Amino acid sequence: MARNHAGTTAIVTGASSGLGAEFARTLAARGANLVLVARREDRLSALADELRDEPGVTVHPLAVDLAAPGAADVVTAFVRERGLPVDSLVNNAGFGMHGPLAEADAARLDEQVRLNVGALVSLTRAFLPEMTASGRGVLVNVASTAAFQPVPFMAAYGATKAFVLSFTEAVAHETRGSGLRVTTLCPGATRTEFFEVVGTDRVRVGGYQTPQQVVATAMRALDARHTPTAIVSGRRNAAAAVVAGLVPRSIVVPLTARLMSR
């Protein structure tokens, strides 16, 4: 049975497109008020206008680059100034880079770690006390199937997603019994702008899912009596994640390198 989020407030990062926009639409349809965070103000405004058509839903767009130092503090101040009690947080913002680490742009690499790890941790810490006190919402940290094994040629990206998985599993344990549902969403290749930012889609493994499919999988798990601390979207992706945990790294890493170097 779908959980009712009426009267709650949810923050969704990376909300201007892809999984973030789909999470925003789904939560709004369930009655949640929203704080939408992303870089692109025009897209945020358009989505906010769309979601305000949901009865009783208020939407607060905030255009900010979460990869910038101190960006999480900007989000926190924005929420506090408006007196919004936060029940849910979807940390979706993130990006990947492809190529040998030795050739990576250093500044862009730093941005990737600040966004995929730093902003996620800071926002989780900022709003976790009130989310656990509320006990009505969800904390969804978006990782990737890349979290389950080292990823040569996307080394930092894979490591950030492994961090997200480990971090969220620990937070789920710390908050057990609070009523807050905490999980890591681990999608595989999804039809978003991810591969445009990466610069190639030749590194994807398996077929594409749509954002609607991925978010529907996440929401079904969050609606279940016992929410798993990691949700892998797609049966093949779930099977691959299990295999990656069973096969020795000496086999998994070269195989992954072969796929990523295409």
Side-chain angles (χ1 to χ4, degrees), residues 88-176:
S88 297
L89 171 62
V90 179
N91 279 309
N92 167 69
F95 72 90
M97 298 169 63
H98 178 257
L101 183 67
E103 299 173 10
D105 179 87
R108 187 68 170 156
L109 195 63
D110 286 347
E111 288 181 358
Q112 181 181 226
V113 175
R114 282 201 302 269
L115 179 59
N116 294 11
V117 172
L120 181 145
V121 171
S122 294
L123 290 173
T124 300
R125 170 61 186 89
F127 297 108
L128 193 60
E130 62 201 88
M131 289 194 294
T132 53
S134 165
R136 298 178 58 195
V138 301
L139 169 62
V140 180
N141 289 332
V142 179
S144 164
T145 52
F148 297 103
Q149 68 284 306
V151 187
F153 304 106
M154 296 186 74
Y157 174 76
T160 64
K161 295 308 182 179
F163 175 95
V164 171
L165 177 59
S166 175
F167 171 77
T168 309
E169 288 176 329
V171 172
H173 183 81
E174 291 179 10
T175 58
R176 68 195 187 284

Side-chain angles (χ1 to χ4, degrees), residues 52-74:
R52 288 185 182 115
D53 289 337
E54 292 287 348
V57 170
T58 61
V59 185
H60 304 270
L62 171 62
V64 62
D65 183 358
L66 285 173
D73 294 335
V74 174

Side-chain angles (χ1 to χ4, degrees), residues 5 22 29 183 204:
H5 289 263
E22 188 59 28
T183 194
R204 70 179 172 86

